Amino acid sequence: MQSKQEYEAVFIGKVISSSHLTKNTKLEVVQSWKGVDTAKVKIYEDNDWGNTYKAGDKILVFANKSYGFWKVPLCAPIQQNVDETDEKWDVYGKPLTLKHSAGQLPLYLAVMTFFLYLLNYYFKKRKKSGSD
């Protein structure tokens, strides 16, 4: 097993999409032991040697930060078609708790609530001034 101390991130991700041209892969994080605590992440690999994955593939990723992005070093021991429930991953310790983003929904709800409040205020004021 590769030592997790050699990399800034060690996690298993399920491929959402992968680009052969740019060698970047979007992943849904299934399990993480180091560095990544979000539900989704994008990794980059070397343009000459990088892999291209199929949507749905589960891969064990070893990566380091490079200019703010997760970059997989050339000799990183990425493993494809892994099972996150396999007991051999216990060597990496206890998995991190992942943060799941609520996305844009809370902002949308706040804006809609404010708009409805203003609309209600407008009609109440109009009704009051019309009944004089």
Side-chain angles (χ1 to χ4, degrees):
M1 283 289 161
Q2 191 71 25
S3 169
K4 78 176 191 178
Q5 277 60 38
E6 295 178 41
Y7 299 92
E8 294 175 50
V10 178
F11 63 95
I12 293 175
K14 183 177 179 182
V15 176
I16 298 169
S17 64
S18 185
S19 169
H20 180 71
L21 181 62
T22 60
K23 301 296 186 205
N24 71 62
T25 303
K26 292 180 188 173
L27 301 163
E28 175 185 337
V29 179
V30 176
Q31 194 161 322
S32 176
W33 294 275
K34 184 179 180 184
V36 172
D37 64 356
T38 56
K40 294 192 174 149
V41 70
K42 187 185 282 189
I43 61 170
Y44 296 88
E45 296 185 71
D46 185 273
N47 280 338
D48 295 325
W49 302 103
N51 295 305
T52 302
Y53 307 101
K54 296 184 316 242
D57 284 352
K58 286 185 184 173
I59 57 176
L60 174 65
V61 177
F62 295 88
N64 293 318
K65 278 279 185 168
S66 177
Y67 301 105
F69 300 101
W70 288 114
K71 177 109 167 101
V72 178
L74 278 175
C75 297
I78 281 189
Q79 294 180 34
Q80 290 183 261
N81 303 316
V82 299
D83 177 5
E84 72 277 6
T85 63
D86 196 322
E87 290 179 6
K88 69 182 175 183
W89 309 128
D90 291 347
V91 299
Y92 295 124
K94 186 178 183 221
L96 301 174
T97 301
L98 300 177
K99 296 176 190 171
H100 293 279
S101 170
Q104 297 292 335
L105 184 60
L107 177 61
Y108 173 77
L109 291 175
V111 169
M112 288 305 297
T113 302
F114 183 69
F115 174 75
L116 291 173
Y117 170 79
L118 288 177
L119 198 59
N120 184 40
Y121 177 79
Y122 170 77
F123 281 113
K124 279 186 178 182
K125 190 165 180 90
R126 185 173 172 178
K127 183 178 180 183
K128 194 175 195 179
S129 68
S131 64
D132 290 340

